[in-house]
Amino acid sequence: KSDQQITATLAGFTTAHANVWVQYASSSKWEEAPMEPVSGSSGFGFLLVRVPEDVQYYVEAAGVKSPTFKLHTIDLPAVKNIKVTYNYPSWTGLAAVTEDPGGDLRAVEGTVAKLDIHTDKPLNNAQIVFEEGKAIHLDATTDNTTSTNVPVEKDGTYHIAVMDHGELVRLTDDYFIEARKIGQPTVKIVKPTKDPKVSPIEEVTISVTAEDEYPLQSLDLHYSVNGAPEKVASLLKQKGAKQYDGSMMLSMEDFKLVPGDIVSIYATARDGKNSARTDMSFVQAVPFEFEYSQSQAP
């Protein structure tokens, strides 16, 4: 039940017409059909659609006959369904996800996709064939189902094929493999929005936001007074969120600042694989400001 293109070329003569003659195994009669000219050549073509059984054929043009050829058909199992279970790398913190029906593979690099392949009849000597790389041989089906693991390592394609009489015969169209690159978290200090100038006794709220495709494992604020060894404060109350807003208050009075002192700050975020950090900001202590107004007293 697959299609088969027949092409014929002329040698030593020309003609505007050619016919193909076919005889199916279940019929005693030959059937004739006109062939279509092939653009840009002296050849002709004809498509046998959904060939149901063995068939023999020859081509005739201007009284010249080709030899008779035979097509042998084989009744192979058909792939009815593919169930895909994605087992993500442990560093992602993600639980396995199943696509049913599935086929195309799209996941972060390092994921292992388990394929449960269901056919309409028992399957033997089958394999998964990749655009590049070594094929994966499949176990014979049990209850018309076989399973295998496919590492998602690079972009490409795959299809399922079976070995029959020494020839690898395709059972499916191509499925795509998309190996997504591992990105980094995004992290930003949203408050203060610029380097603030504060009094030596002021309290400054630092607000940080972080986002990632994978669960966050840490969100930290780093600060240092006048270049002293930095201190680190965790803003992430619970691991596992993919988006988180954290904040803390820095009391300038605790640092015993005097005008001119500087507190440097930056934030970092980390998932199970990569980390990211913000640019450094600076909080500067300045002298107190006094405002004078005329007294209302007599």
Side-chain angles (χ1 to χ4, degrees), residues 2 68 105 114 116 136 154 178 207:
S2 60
T68 299
L105 306 181
K114 180 188 177 188
D116 295 310
I136 297 176
K154 61 181 179 180
E178 179 186 342
S207 298

Side-chain angles (χ1 to χ4, degrees), residues 116-176:
D116 295 310
I117 303 164
H118 182 70
T119 55
D120 63 350
K121 62 182 65 177
L123 181 66
N124 292 287
N125 298 321
Q127 54 188 272
I128 293 187
V129 181
F130 298 96
E131 179 182 7
E132 295 180 357
K134 186 178 180 180
I136 297 176
H137 292 271
L138 299 173
D139 293 334
T141 53
T142 301
D143 295 329
N144 293 347
T145 299
T146 186
S147 301
T148 191
N149 291 325
V150 176
V152 180
E153 297 173 340
K154 61 181 179 180
D155 293 348
T157 62
Y158 78 93
H159 67 268
I160 300 170
V162 64
M163 188 66 69
D164 184 83
H165 292 85
E167 181 180 355
L168 199 59
V169 183
R170 178 189 287 263
L171 297 184
T172 69
D173 294 330
D174 282 334
Y175 294 103
F176 292 101

Side-chain angles (χ1 to χ4, degrees), residues 205-223:
T205 299
I206 312 296
S207 298
V208 179
T209 185
E211 189 172 1
D212 196 4
E213 185 177 358
Y214 309 105
L216 293 165
Q217 301 301 311
S218 68
L219 176 61
D220 296 328
L221 179 67
H222 304 248
Y223 59 95

Side-chain angles (χ1 to χ4, degrees), residues 224-245:
S224 171
V225 179
N226 293 328
E230 70 177 32
K231 296 183 179 181
V232 181
S234 174
L235 305 182
L236 188 64
K237 303 303 182 185
Q238 186 174 358
K239 297 178 181 180
K242 294 183 179 181
Q243 193 282 329
Y244 194 81
D245 298 324

